[in-house]
Amino acid sequence: GALFAYAAALTVGLQMLVSRMVESRSALWLTVGAGLATIFAFALLAASPAMVALIGAVSLCSIAQMLVGPLVPTAVNALAPPARRASYMAASSVAVDLKDSLGPSIGTALYALAPRLPWIAGIPLVAIASLGLGVAIGRARRPLRPTENDATPQLRSAVENYR
């Protein structure tokens, strides 16, 4: 309970400051930065169960969320074909719901096998997800053939400067 309250307070207190500090950074930078922060958090948790490691990991996860949280819905909107935008937004929402409902039970099951397993297994998953989103954004910025429904102008203004 106390660590969740700490994470919420950290996010509430710092979200606008972090957003202002990184508003000129590219979406790829934000995605990779959030991925690295999460990977370091998982590495901390895998290395030590001490309270200081827990506080450090929660802090890093909060920073990761502050970096990429506002980016994801904007990126989904910008990357989705206009006719399918609602479906893409719904799929994104379902993915978040699955993460929130299945994540704790899968993590607990992995923890039952070995206390460090959730964090060790999570590191490559975070790396893949971070790079995947970064590559998708990069492809949208450099379309092979521009079309009338090109997401590039929207992506540059809405994703890279998501304030």
Side-chain angles (χ1 to χ4, degrees), residues 23-121:
E23 68 186 351
S24 64
R25 299 288 185 170
S26 71
L28 179 60
W29 189 95
L30 294 172
T31 305
V32 170
L36 287 173
T38 304
I39 288 169
F40 289 140
F42 285 5
L44 267 176
L45 292 169
S48 171
M51 182 56 77
V52 77
L54 291 173
I55 293 169
V58 167
S59 300
L60 286 167
C61 285
S62 294
I63 290 168
Q65 183 59 37
M66 286 184 253
L67 289 174
V68 81
L71 175 68
V72 171
T74 306
V76 170
N77 187 48
L79 295 172
R84 308 268 336 238
R85 234 174 237 142
S87 296
Y88 277 60
M89 294 301 281
S92 176
S93 178
V94 168
V96 170
D97 292 343
L98 286 173
K99 170 196 65 111
D100 291 344
S101 60
L102 295 178
S105 59
I106 292 171
T108 302
L110 290 173
Y111 187 85
L113 295 172
R116 292 187 170 116
L117 188 56
W119 318 120
I120 293 169

Side-chain angles (χ1 to χ4, degrees), residues 11-23 66:
T11 302
V12 167
L14 296 178
Q15 179 67 66
M16 294 307 292
L17 176 65
V18 170
S19 294
R20 275 191 228 113
M21 287 174 52
V22 300
E23 68 186 351
M66 286 184 253

